[in-house]
Amino acid sequence: MSKSDLIETAIGARVDAGELAGAVTLVWRGGKIVQSACVGWRDIEAEAPMQRDTIFRIASMSKPITSTAALMLLEEGRIALDDPIARFAPEFSQMRVLRSPAGPLDQTDPADRPITFEDLLTHRSGLTYGDVHAGPIAKAYADALGADIDSEVAPDDWIAGLAALPLIDQPGAAYHYGHSTDLLGLLIARIEDAPLGEVLARRIFTPLGMRDTGFTVAKDKRGRRATMYGFDEAERLIPRLAPPSGAFMAERPDNLEFVSGGQGLWSTVDDYLAFARMFIGDGAVDDVRLLRPETLALMTANRLTGGQRAVAKTLGMPVFTAHGFGLGVAVVLDPEKAAAVRCRGGVGTVGWPGAYGGWWQADPTDGSAMVFLAHNSFELDQLANGVGLGVYSAITDFHALASALPS
């Protein structure tokens, strides 16, 4: 059995065990695709198998793409990393900070300094996701912003609502994963005076030939979408048309103006590989340049202090034991300790996963890029009990076997 076949067998074992419905994988090394696999089902009930062109909601894999668009504006001199975001969103000119993330919303202090674009790109803005907190800030976020991904709140109202809430930390003080990239995306739209989806299509998707990537799925492509699966009380896979994050997995209502630059994109393995290759091409893919080499180097250099890395957590788990964080991507600092579910390779390997089982990495030390897409969803209390973690085991299996593939 070839090493490529071993990948399909390993993921297939997870599918047979009911840990995920299916996955699609792709590996690029030595200037060509050296592995691809379509395992399991995009729709179990319809007995529709995964295919190479299956379309997935990629959740937080959207963040590096939106961050790249912001860095294009940086190159053009339209923003600077130390620019206060209030330059384009005066709603954020007078921010206050909670004395305790779990404390009353009226117990605040003035922000020491304005939020900058670098703060948004590094998640050090003091913004958060409301549902990761136990205090009143959680309900305040939900009331002001609506659903995390497909919100019914109009963009300007969303920005105003977020600005009216207190921060959970001083700008620049610490890494707090949250709505920073969503706000960044809406600011890009303001600067460009165009919807974020149009900006990303013009700047990134169309030049790279990413024909199946966007915030909505065209009607003639909807049959290619993977069904989202979660787990019932007996830990069995069940279809979930409305995951906890408020994402429409079927038809997104036409009246929604808001798009989530942090979590909202749909894509395919081939499309995302085209984007990932930028990180092993010094900012270019074939003859298409997105970023200058020096800008890509800026993006992929760790910007967190040792103290910020030590205390950073997502869903209560350490994030940067062996990684740093640049401008929108995690970066490997210690290859021996790096866990594959973040990204693992030589020093400088980058990546960032998505909540629904999507994962990618690009390793400039060996010129490789890997993409793994799946559609699994789980509640936070299920995660605490270990339910739904099989997809991460499948990613780890894939990474280990893919790393051993010959060029």
Side-chain angles (χ1 to χ4, degrees):
M1 183 180 294
S2 71
K3 288 184 172 65
S4 185
D5 290 338
L6 287 174
I7 291 174
E8 190 166 345
T9 299
I11 298 173
R14 302 285 181 184
V15 172
D16 293 343
E19 297 177 4
L20 70 161
V24 183
T25 68
L26 212 54
V27 179
W28 174 277
R29 183 180 290 116
K32 61 181 183 295
I33 292 172
V34 297
Q35 186 274 339
S36 65
C38 306
V39 186
W41 310 96
R42 75 174 188 273
D43 188 324
I44 296 173
E45 290 69 31
E47 297 185 353
M50 286 291 186
Q51 296 176 322
R52 177 94 166 243
D53 65 353
T54 295
I55 301 172
F56 299 83
R57 199 106 200 233
I58 60 173
S60 287
M61 288 171 62
S62 307
K63 289 179 170 69
I65 294 175
T66 298
S67 299
T68 297
L71 293 175
M72 289 177 160
L73 296 179
L74 177 77
E75 286 191 346
E76 295 165 8
R78 299 171 70 185
I79 64 171
L81 292 181
D82 59 0
D83 272 349
I85 65 170
R87 176 183 167 197
F88 300 99
E91 297 94 329
F92 286 88
S93 60
Q94 300 290 331
M95 297 305 294
R96 299 191 66 84
V97 182
L98 284 174
R99 292 173 185 166
S100 166
L105 300 184
D106 59 354
Q107 294 186 8
T108 63
D109 297 305
D112 292 337
R113 64 163 178 78
I115 299 171
T116 67
F117 279 97
E118 180 173 355
D119 293 332
L120 295 184
L121 284 158
T122 58
H123 291 275
R124 292 183 293 185
S125 61
L127 302 173
T128 186
Y129 286 133
D131 57 7
V132 302
H133 296 280
I137 193 68
K139 184 176 185 301
Y141 261 72
D143 289 346
L145 307 181
D148 279 347
I149 296 182
D150 289 323
S151 175
E152 71 283 1
V153 181
D156 285 347
D157 294 336
W158 192 95
I159 290 173
L162 181 61
L165 299 174
L167 304 174
I168 63 163
D169 210 338
Q170 288 289 344
Y175 174 95
H176 296 284
Y177 197 50
H179 282 297
S180 288
T181 315
D182 289 323
L183 177 57
L184 180 65
L186 297 182
L187 294 183
I188 291 170
R190 277 192 177 182
I191 294 166
E192 291 275 66
D193 193 24
L196 180 61
E198 292 182 11
V199 175
L200 296 182
R202 172 170 49 84
R203 288 183 171 272
I204 299 174
F205 304 152
T206 299
L208 293 183
M210 298 170 66
R211 298 176 181 85
D212 294 321
T213 303
F215 291 110
T216 58
V217 179
K219 289 183 179 180
D220 61 346
K221 298 180 179 181
R222 289 175 182 172
R224 291 161 46 198
R225 292 174 303 187
T227 299
M228 177 66 71
Y229 286 92
F231 298 87
D232 63 15
E233 294 179 355
E235 301 183 16
R236 294 171 301 198
L237 284 171
I238 55 171
R240 296 197 63 174
L241 297 181
S245 52
F248 284 99
M249 306 312 297
E251 280 66 52
R252 173 185 159 99
D254 292 334
N255 63 342
L256 293 187
E257 298 177 39
F258 177 88
V259 294
S260 169
Q263 309 171 81
L265 289 172
W266 295 79
S267 193
T268 64
V269 285
D270 281 279
D271 274 14
Y272 209 90
L273 176 67
F275 172 72
R277 286 178 54 201
M278 176 187 75
F279 294 90
I280 56 175
D282 282 334
V285 181
D286 298 326
D287 59 348
V288 176
R289 177 160 297 283
L290 297 185
L291 298 175
R292 300 170 189 153
E294 58 269 28
T295 307
L296 187 76
L298 192 71
M299 183 181 190
T300 58
N302 171 52
R303 305 188 72 88
L304 303 184
T305 67
Q308 289 170 340
R309 289 176 55 223
V311 300
K313 292 184 177 181
T314 297
L315 300 178
M317 296 178 287
V319 183
F320 299 121
T321 303
H323 297 82
F325 196 79
L327 301 173
V329 290
V331 54
V332 172
L333 302 179
D334 185 343
E336 296 302 316
K337 295 181 180 178
V341 293
R342 186 75 57 213
C343 55
R344 182 178 188 182
V347 172
T349 297
V350 297
W352 196 251
Y356 301 144
W359 174 94
W360 72 283
Q361 73 168 44
D363 185 347
T365 68
D366 68 0
S368 69
M370 308 178 191
V371 184
F372 177 108
L373 294 182
H375 248 187
N376 268 35
S377 173
F378 44 78
E379 304 277 1
L380 292 182
D381 59 347
Q382 290 181 320
L383 177 64
N385 293 320
V387 177
L389 298 183
V391 67
Y392 301 111
S393 298
I395 290 169
T396 301
D397 295 342
F398 166 62
H399 178 273
L401 292 166
S403 297
L405 287 170
S407 296

Tab-separated table of all heavy atoms in Angstrom, residues 17-72:
chain	number	residue	atom	x	y	z
A	17	ALA	N	-15.717	4.687	12.012
A	17	ALA	CA	-15.969	4.704	13.454
A	17	ALA	C	-17.002	5.758	13.849
A	17	ALA	O	-17.343	5.880	15.032
A	17	ALA	CB	-14.665	4.964	14.201
A	18	GLY	N	-17.511	6.506	12.865
A	18	GLY	CA	-18.532	7.517	13.150
A	18	GLY	C	-17.990	8.785	13.768
A	18	GLY	O	-18.731	9.554	14.381
A	19	GLU	N	-16.686	9.036	13.598
A	19	GLU	CA	-16.079	10.222	14.188
A	19	GLU	C	-16.211	11.455	13.299
A	19	GLU	O	-16.102	12.586	13.780
A	19	GLU	CB	-14.610	9.952	14.495
A	19	GLU	CG	-14.416	8.848	15.532
A	19	GLU	CD	-12.950	8.531	15.777
A	19	GLU	OE1	-12.084	9.225	15.200
A	19	GLU	OE2	-12.663	7.598	16.542
A	20	LEU	N	-16.399	11.253	12.016
A	20	LEU	CA	-16.673	12.335	11.080
A	20	LEU	C	-17.333	11.728	9.850
A	20	LEU	O	-17.211	10.516	9.609
A	20	LEU	CB	-15.412	13.107	10.696
A	20	LEU	CG	-14.352	12.449	9.813
A	20	LEU	CD1	-13.461	13.525	9.190
A	20	LEU	CD2	-13.476	11.502	10.617
A	21	ALA	N	-18.039	12.570	9.085
A	21	ALA	CA	-18.747	12.066	7.907
A	21	ALA	C	-17.792	11.801	6.757
A	21	ALA	O	-17.974	10.849	5.987
A	21	ALA	CB	-19.823	13.060	7.481
A	22	GLY	N	-16.776	12.640	6.619
A	22	GLY	CA	-15.841	12.487	5.514
A	22	GLY	C	-14.899	13.658	5.457
A	22	GLY	O	-14.998	14.610	6.247
A	23	ALA	N	-13.961	13.602	4.528
A	23	ALA	CA	-12.978	14.674	4.374
A	23	ALA	C	-12.396	14.625	2.968
A	23	ALA	O	-12.441	13.588	2.294
A	23	ALA	CB	-11.864	14.543	5.409
A	24	VAL	N	-11.849	15.755	2.546
A	24	VAL	CA	-11.115	15.855	1.292
A	24	VAL	C	-9.746	16.434	1.614
A	24	VAL	O	-9.632	17.382	2.396
A	24	VAL	CB	-11.845	16.744	0.269
A	24	VAL	CG1	-11.089	16.780	-1.052
A	24	VAL	CG2	-13.277	16.253	0.051
A	25	THR	N	-8.683	15.861	1.035
A	25	THR	CA	-7.328	16.295	1.342
A	25	THR	C	-6.543	16.570	0.079
A	25	THR	O	-6.855	16.051	-1.001
A	25	THR	CB	-6.574	15.226	2.158
A	25	THR	OG1	-6.355	14.070	1.326
A	25	THR	CG2	-7.356	14.816	3.390
A	26	LEU	N	-5.503	17.390	0.234
A	26	LEU	CA	-4.629	17.734	-0.879
A	26	LEU	C	-3.254	18.068	-0.316
A	26	LEU	O	-3.146	18.747	0.718
A	26	LEU	CB	-5.199	18.943	-1.625
A	26	LEU	CG	-4.991	19.078	-3.135
A	26	LEU	CD1	-5.459	17.827	-3.877
A	26	LEU	CD2	-5.742	20.300	-3.645
A	27	VAL	N	-2.202	17.602	-0.985
A	27	VAL	CA	-0.827	17.907	-0.575
A	27	VAL	C	-0.050	18.389	-1.794
A	27	VAL	O	-0.071	17.746	-2.848
A	27	VAL	CB	-0.119	16.676	0.034
A	27	VAL	CG1	1.318	17.029	0.434
A	27	VAL	CG2	-0.892	16.137	1.233
A	28	TRP	N	0.650	19.518	-1.639
A	28	TRP	CA	1.506	20.086	-2.676
A	28	TRP	C	2.946	20.025	-2.188
A	28	TRP	O	3.260	20.466	-1.073
A	28	TRP	CB	1.098	21.533	-2.921
A	28	TRP	CG	1.968	22.295	-3.867
A	28	TRP	CD1	3.153	22.926	-3.576
A	28	TRP	CD2	1.727	22.549	-5.251
A	28	TRP	NE1	3.655	23.541	-4.684
A	28	TRP	CE2	2.806	23.327	-5.730
A	28	TRP	CE3	0.711	22.201	-6.129
A	28	TRP	CZ2	2.876	23.758	-7.057
A	28	TRP	CZ3	0.793	22.622	-7.450
A	28	TRP	CH2	1.859	23.392	-7.903
A	29	ARG	N	3.822	19.483	-2.981
A	29	ARG	CA	5.246	19.455	-2.639
A	29	ARG	C	6.053	19.323	-3.923
A	29	ARG	O	5.627	18.641	-4.855
A	29	ARG	CB	5.563	18.303	-1.685
A	29	ARG	CG	7.026	18.280	-1.232
A	29	ARG	CD	7.358	17.147	-0.275
A	29	ARG	NE	6.742	17.364	1.033
A	29	ARG	CZ	5.821	16.579	1.563
A	29	ARG	NH1	5.394	15.515	0.903
A	29	ARG	NH2	5.327	16.837	2.759
A	30	GLY	N	7.197	19.966	-3.960
A	30	GLY	CA	8.047	19.875	-5.142
A	30	GLY	C	7.424	20.461	-6.384
A	30	GLY	O	7.712	20.017	-7.504
A	31	GLY	N	6.555	21.444	-6.203
A	31	GLY	CA	5.963	22.111	-7.351
A	31	GLY	C	4.789	21.398	-7.978
A	31	GLY	O	4.352	21.763	-9.077
A	32	LYS	N	4.241	20.397	-7.281
A	32	LYS	CA	3.094	19.685	-7.866
A	32	LYS	C	2.261	19.046	-6.753
A	32	LYS	O	2.711	18.912	-5.606
A	32	LYS	CB	3.569	18.595	-8.830
A	32	LYS	CG	4.424	17.509	-8.195
A	32	LYS	CD	4.870	16.501	-9.241
A	32	LYS	CE	5.675	15.341	-8.655
A	32	LYS	NZ	6.964	15.776	-8.083
A	33	ILE	N	1.053	18.643	-7.110
A	33	ILE	CA	0.193	17.904	-6.177
A	33	ILE	C	0.701	16.479	-6.093
A	33	ILE	O	0.844	15.792	-7.110
A	33	ILE	CB	-1.274	17.944	-6.640
A	33	ILE	CG1	-1.826	19.374	-6.518
A	33	ILE	CG2	-2.133	16.973	-5.821
A	33	ILE	CD1	-3.196	19.561	-7.138
A	34	VAL	N	0.986	16.021	-4.869
A	34	VAL	CA	1.513	14.668	-4.679
A	34	VAL	C	0.513	13.761	-3.966
A	34	VAL	O	0.761	12.556	-3.837
A	34	VAL	CB	2.838	14.687	-3.896
A	34	VAL	CG1	3.906	15.430	-4.682
A	34	VAL	CG2	2.661	15.313	-2.508
A	35	GLN	N	-0.610	14.305	-3.522
A	35	GLN	CA	-1.619	13.476	-2.862
A	35	GLN	C	-2.959	14.177	-2.915
A	35	GLN	O	-3.056	15.393	-2.779
A	35	GLN	CB	-1.245	13.211	-1.393
A	35	GLN	CG	-2.159	12.250	-0.650
A	35	GLN	CD	-3.404	12.929	-0.025
A	35	GLN	OE1	-3.405	14.127	0.195
A	35	GLN	NE2	-4.437	12.147	0.234
A	36	SER	N	-3.997	13.403	-3.143
A	36	SER	CA	-5.363	13.888	-2.977
A	36	SER	C	-6.224	12.705	-2.571
A	36	SER	O	-5.966	11.565	-2.971
A	36	SER	CB	-5.906	14.522	-4.266
A	36	SER	OG	-6.029	13.559	-5.293
A	37	ALA	N	-7.215	12.976	-1.749
A	37	ALA	CA	-8.120	11.908	-1.319
A	37	ALA	C	-9.494	12.491	-1.041
A	37	ALA	O	-9.624	13.615	-0.553
A	37	ALA	CB	-7.587	11.209	-0.061
A	38	CYS	N	-10.519	11.728	-1.376
A	38	CYS	CA	-11.908	12.065	-1.079
A	38	CYS	C	-12.464	10.866	-0.314
A	38	CYS	O	-12.652	9.788	-0.894
A	38	CYS	CB	-12.707	12.311	-2.348
A	38	CYS	SG	-11.984	13.545	-3.452
A	39	VAL	N	-12.700	11.048	0.970
A	39	VAL	CA	-13.046	9.934	1.850
A	39	VAL	C	-14.402	10.194	2.504
A	39	VAL	O	-14.666	11.294	2.997
A	39	VAL	CB	-11.976	9.747	2.947
A	39	VAL	CG1	-12.265	8.492	3.774
A	39	VAL	CG2	-10.581	9.676	2.342
A	40	GLY	N	-15.257	9.199	2.527
A	40	GLY	CA	-16.523	9.319	3.229
A	40	GLY	C	-17.586	10.043	2.424
A	40	GLY	O	-17.585	10.012	1.189
A	41	TRP	N	-18.455	10.752	3.145
A	41	TRP	CA	-19.695	11.256	2.561
A	41	TRP	C	-19.842	12.756	2.746
A	41	TRP	O	-19.655	13.274	3.840
A	41	TRP	CB	-20.891	10.554	3.212
A	41	TRP	CG	-20.747	9.070	3.231
A	41	TRP	CD1	-20.284	8.291	4.258
A	41	TRP	CD2	-21.031	8.177	2.144
A	41	TRP	NE1	-20.266	6.973	3.884
A	41	TRP	CE2	-20.722	6.865	2.588
A	41	TRP	CE3	-21.523	8.363	0.845
A	41	TRP	CZ2	-20.887	5.758	1.778
A	41	TRP	CZ3	-21.689	7.257	0.037
A	41	TRP	CH2	-21.376	5.967	0.505
A	42	ARG	N	-20.245	13.426	1.667
A	42	ARG	CA	-20.648	14.822	1.820
A	42	ARG	C	-22.099	14.894	2.281
A	42	ARG	O	-22.526	15.893	2.851
A	42	ARG	CB	-20.424	15.619	0.542
A	42	ARG	CG	-21.390	15.381	-0.585
A	42	ARG	CD	-21.130	16.343	-1.748
A	42	ARG	NE	-22.152	16.268	-2.767
A	42	ARG	CZ	-22.144	15.405	-3.779
A	42	ARG	NH1	-21.131	14.561	-3.907
A	42	ARG	NH2	-23.130	15.396	-4.661
A	43	ASP	N	-22.872	13.821	2.057
A	43	ASP	CA	-24.248	13.711	2.551
A	43	ASP	C	-24.525	12.236	2.800
A	43	ASP	O	-24.712	11.459	1.855
A	43	ASP	CB	-25.225	14.290	1.536
A	43	ASP	CG	-26.648	14.391	2.075
A	43	ASP	OD1	-27.064	13.490	2.845
A	43	ASP	OD2	-27.344	15.355	1.720
A	44	ILE	N	-24.522	11.870	4.074
A	44	ILE	CA	-24.690	10.455	4.434
A	44	ILE	C	-26.065	9.952	4.023
A	44	ILE	O	-26.200	8.875	3.435
A	44	ILE	CB	-24.488	10.263	5.954
A	44	ILE	CG1	-23.039	10.604	6.350
A	44	ILE	CG2	-24.827	8.830	6.367
A	44	ILE	CD1	-22.800	10.608	7.842
A	45	GLU	N	-27.090	10.742	4.326
A	45	GLU	CA	-28.460	10.301	4.080
A	45	GLU	C	-28.725	10.099	2.587
A	45	GLU	O	-29.460	9.190	2.192
A	45	GLU	CB	-29.450	11.327	4.650
A	45	GLU	CG	-29.491	11.372	6.184
A	45	GLU	CD	-28.226	11.946	6.794
A	45	GLU	OE1	-27.587	12.824	6.151
A	45	GLU	OE2	-27.860	11.530	7.904
A	46	ALA	N	-28.117	10.929	1.749
A	46	ALA	CA	-28.309	10.817	0.303
A	46	ALA	C	-27.297	9.868	-0.338
A	46	ALA	O	-27.336	9.667	-1.555
A	46	ALA	CB	-28.197	12.195	-0.345
A	47	GLU	N	-26.401	9.320	0.483
A	47	GLU	CA	-25.327	8.447	-0.002
A	47	GLU	C	-24.516	9.145	-1.095
A	47	GLU	O	-24.110	8.538	-2.096
A	47	GLU	CB	-25.889	7.110	-0.506
A	47	GLU	CG	-26.569	6.294	0.589
A	47	GLU	CD	-27.019	4.928	0.108
A	47	GLU	OE1	-26.934	4.653	-1.102
A	47	GLU	OE2	-27.447	4.118	0.952
A	48	ALA	N	-24.261	10.434	-0.875
A	48	ALA	CA	-23.461	11.229	-1.811
A	48	ALA	C	-22.028	11.287	-1.296
A	48	ALA	O	-21.789	11.806	-0.191
A	48	ALA	CB	-24.031	12.641	-1.935
A	49	PRO	N	-21.065	10.774	-2.037
A	49	PRO	CA	-19.684	10.725	-1.555
A	49	PRO	C	-18.987	12.076	-1.621
A	49	PRO	O	-19.376	12.959	-2.395
A	49	PRO	CB	-19.021	9.730	-2.511
A	49	PRO	CG	-19.795	9.880	-3.784
A	49	PRO	CD	-21.213	10.154	-3.377
A	50	MET	N	-17.933	12.231	-0.808
A	50	MET	CA	-17.063	13.384	-0.935
A	50	MET	C	-16.417	13.370	-2.318
A	50	MET	O	-16.086	12.307	-2.847
A	50	MET	CB	-15.964	13.358	0.138
A	50	MET	CG	-16.428	13.715	1.535
A	50	MET	SD	-16.868	15.473	1.650
A	50	MET	CE	-17.178	15.594	3.430
A	51	GLN	N	-16.235	14.558	-2.878
A	51	GLN	CA	-15.568	14.697	-4.168
A	51	GLN	C	-14.548	15.817	-4.086
A	51	GLN	O	-14.584	16.653	-3.173
A	51	GLN	CB	-16.602	14.987	-5.268
A	51	GLN	CG	-17.589	13.852	-5.486
A	51	GLN	CD	-18.657	14.187	-6.507
A	51	GLN	OE1	-19.137	15.320	-6.569
A	51	GLN	NE2	-19.035	13.213	-7.320
A	52	ARG	N	-13.632	15.829	-5.030
A	52	ARG	CA	-12.554	16.824	-5.021
A	52	ARG	C	-13.105	18.249	-5.018
A	52	ARG	O	-12.512	19.156	-4.410
A	52	ARG	CB	-11.661	16.579	-6.253
A	52	ARG	CG	-10.531	17.570	-6.439
A	52	ARG	CD	-9.236	17.147	-5.855
A	52	ARG	NE	-8.181	18.026	-6.383
A	52	ARG	CZ	-7.171	17.634	-7.136
A	52	ARG	NH1	-7.024	16.360	-7.425
A	52	ARG	NH2	-6.269	18.494	-7.574
A	53	ASP	N	-14.258	18.479	-5.659
A	53	ASP	CA	-14.799	19.831	-5.742
A	53	ASP	C	-15.891	20.111	-4.712
A	53	ASP	O	-16.642	21.085	-4.847
A	53	ASP	CB	-15.317	20.130	-7.145
A	53	ASP	CG	-16.511	19.246	-7.541
A	53	ASP	OD1	-16.857	18.323	-6.782
A	53	ASP	OD2	-17.077	19.496	-8.622
A	54	THR	N	-15.984	19.272	-3.670
A	54	THR	CA	-16.964	19.520	-2.611
A	54	THR	C	-16.668	20.862	-1.944
A	54	THR	O	-15.514	21.216	-1.692
A	54	THR	CB	-16.932	18.388	-1.572
A	54	THR	OG1	-17.360	17.178	-2.199
A	54	THR	CG2	-17.848	18.689	-0.401
A	55	ILE	N	-17.731	21.604	-1.651
A	55	ILE	CA	-17.612	22.950	-1.084
A	55	ILE	C	-17.911	22.892	0.412
A	55	ILE	O	-18.932	22.341	0.834
A	55	ILE	CB	-18.569	23.922	-1.793
A	55	ILE	CG1	-18.250	23.977	-3.298
A	55	ILE	CG2	-18.469	25.317	-1.182
A	55	ILE	CD1	-19.262	24.762	-4.109
A	56	PHE	N	-17.018	23.488	1.211
A	56	PHE	CA	-17.123	23.476	2.670
A	56	PHE	C	-17.163	24.899	3.215
A	56	PHE	O	-16.542	25.810	2.649
A	56	PHE	CB	-15.899	22.797	3.295
A	56	PHE	CG	-15.698	21.361	2.914
A	56	PHE	CD1	-15.073	21.024	1.726
A	56	PHE	CD2	-16.107	20.335	3.768
A	56	PHE	CE1	-14.863	19.696	1.380
A	56	PHE	CE2	-15.905	19.009	3.434
A	56	PHE	CZ	-15.291	18.680	2.238
A	57	ARG	N	-17.858	25.074	4.337
A	57	ARG	CA	-17.744	26.328	5.088
A	57	ARG	C	-16.443	26.230	5.885
A	57	ARG	O	-16.283	25.335	6.725
A	57	ARG	CB	-18.940	26.505	6.033
A	57	ARG	CG	-19.101	27.989	6.477
A	57	ARG	CD	-20.273	28.591	5.768
A	57	ARG	NE	-20.259	30.043	5.738
A	57	ARG	CZ	-21.277	30.799	6.152
A	57	ARG	NH1	-22.348	30.258	6.661
A	57	ARG	NH2	-21.225	32.105	6.023
A	58	ILE	N	-15.512	27.128	5.635
A	58	ILE	CA	-14.171	26.946	6.187
A	58	ILE	C	-13.935	27.690	7.495
A	58	ILE	O	-12.832	27.654	8.051
A	58	ILE	CB	-13.087	27.339	5.165
A	58	ILE	CG1	-13.225	28.806	4.745
A	58	ILE	CG2	-13.143	26.406	3.954
A	58	ILE	CD1	-12.075	29.305	3.865
A	59	ALA	N	-14.959	28.356	8.022
A	59	ALA	CA	-14.888	28.994	9.342
A	59	ALA	C	-13.636	29.865	9.457
A	59	ALA	O	-13.377	30.698	8.600
A	59	ALA	CB	-14.975	27.935	10.441
A	60	SER	N	-12.817	29.656	10.494
A	60	SER	CA	-11.702	30.571	10.762
A	60	SER	C	-10.546	30.455	9.785
A	60	SER	O	-9.598	31.250	9.860
A	60	SER	CB	-11.200	30.368	12.193
A	60	SER	OG	-12.126	30.909	13.107
A	61	MET	N	-10.602	29.514	8.855
A	61	MET	CA	-9.645	29.551	7.750
A	61	MET	C	-9.870	30.789	6.884
A	61	MET	O	-9.052	31.120	6.034
A	61	MET	CB	-9.756	28.274	6.912
A	61	MET	CG	-9.198	27.033	7.613
A	61	MET	SD	-9.554	25.489	6.746
A	61	MET	CE	-8.702	25.723	5.182
A	62	SER	N	-10.990	31.489	7.129
A	62	SER	CA	-11.246	32.773	6.459
A	62	SER	C	-10.285	33.858	6.943
A	62	SER	O	-9.972	34.796	6.192
A	62	SER	CB	-12.678	33.240	6.732
A	62	SER	OG	-13.639	32.258	6.411
A	63	LYS	N	-9.840	33.761	8.188
A	63	LYS	CA	-9.062	34.843	8.799
A	63	LYS	C	-7.770	35.171	8.047
A	63	LYS	O	-7.466	36.352	7.824
A	63	LYS	CB	-8.775	34.516	10.269
A	63	LYS	CG	-9.998	34.603	11.178
A	63	LYS	CD	-9.650	34.250	12.617
A	63	LYS	CE	-10.808	34.568	13.574
A	63	LYS	NZ	-11.972	33.687	13.386
A	64	PRO	N	-6.960	34.174	7.653
A	64	PRO	CA	-5.743	34.532	6.911
A	64	PRO	C	-6.026	35.243	5.586
A	64	PRO	O	-5.227	36.076	5.148
A	64	PRO	CB	-5.071	33.169	6.681
A	64	PRO	CG	-5.582	32.302	7.784
A	64	PRO	CD	-6.997	32.735	7.976
A	65	ILE	N	-7.161	34.921	4.955
A	65	ILE	CA	-7.504	35.562	3.682
A	65	ILE	C	-7.848	37.028	3.906
A	65	ILE	O	-7.345	37.924	3.208
A	65	ILE	CB	-8.658	34.807	3.005
A	65	ILE	CG1	-8.209	33.395	2.592
A	65	ILE	CG2	-9.180	35.585	1.807
A	65	ILE	CD1	-9.308	32.526	2.015
A	66	THR	N	-8.697	37.313	4.878
A	66	THR	CA	-9.047	38.696	5.186
A	66	THR	C	-7.816	39.474	5.630
A	66	THR	O	-7.632	40.645	5.248
A	66	THR	CB	-10.135	38.733	6.267
A	66	THR	OG1	-11.313	38.075	5.772
A	66	THR	CG2	-10.491	40.152	6.670
A	67	SER	N	-6.948	38.834	6.400
A	67	SER	CA	-5.718	39.491	6.849
A	67	SER	C	-4.821	39.833	5.665
A	67	SER	O	-4.167	40.891	5.653
A	67	SER	CB	-4.978	38.576	7.837
A	67	SER	OG	-5.773	38.318	8.987
A	68	THR	N	-4.771	38.965	4.668
A	68	THR	CA	-3.978	39.232	3.474
A	68	THR	C	-4.491	40.464	2.746
A	68	THR	O	-3.711	41.305	2.275
A	68	THR	CB	-3.989	38.008	2.538
A	68	THR	OG1	-3.373	36.903	3.206
A	68	THR	CG2	-3.252	38.282	1.243
A	69	ALA	N	-5.809	40.594	2.647
A	69	ALA	CA	-6.382	41.783	1.998
A	69	ALA	C	-5.987	43.049	2.745
A	69	ALA	O	-5.683	44.084	2.118
A	69	ALA	CB	-7.900	41.651	1.911
A	70	ALA	N	-5.976	42.985	4.072
A	70	ALA	CA	-5.562	44.157	4.855
A	70	ALA	C	-4.106	44.515	4.574
A	70	ALA	O	-3.748	45.700	4.472
A	70	ALA	CB	-5.759	43.880	6.344
A	71	LEU	N	-3.254	43.503	4.426
A	71	LEU	CA	-1.842	43.767	4.158
A	71	LEU	C	-1.627	44.304	2.751
A	71	LEU	O	-0.647	45.010	2.491
A	71	LEU	CB	-1.031	42.496	4.388
A	71	LEU	CG	-0.983	42.053	5.866
A	71	LEU	CD1	-0.270	40.726	6.006
A	71	LEU	CD2	-0.314	43.117	6.724
A	72	MET	N	-2.525	44.008	1.834
A	72	MET	CA	-2.471	44.644	0.513
A	72	MET	C	-2.705	46.150	0.650
A	72	MET	O	-2.024	46.964	-0.001
A	72	MET	CB	-3.517	44.023	-0.407
A	72	MET	CG	-3.198	42.599	-0.841
A	72	MET	SD	-4.546	41.925	-1.850
A	72	MET	CE	-3.685	40.585	-2.680
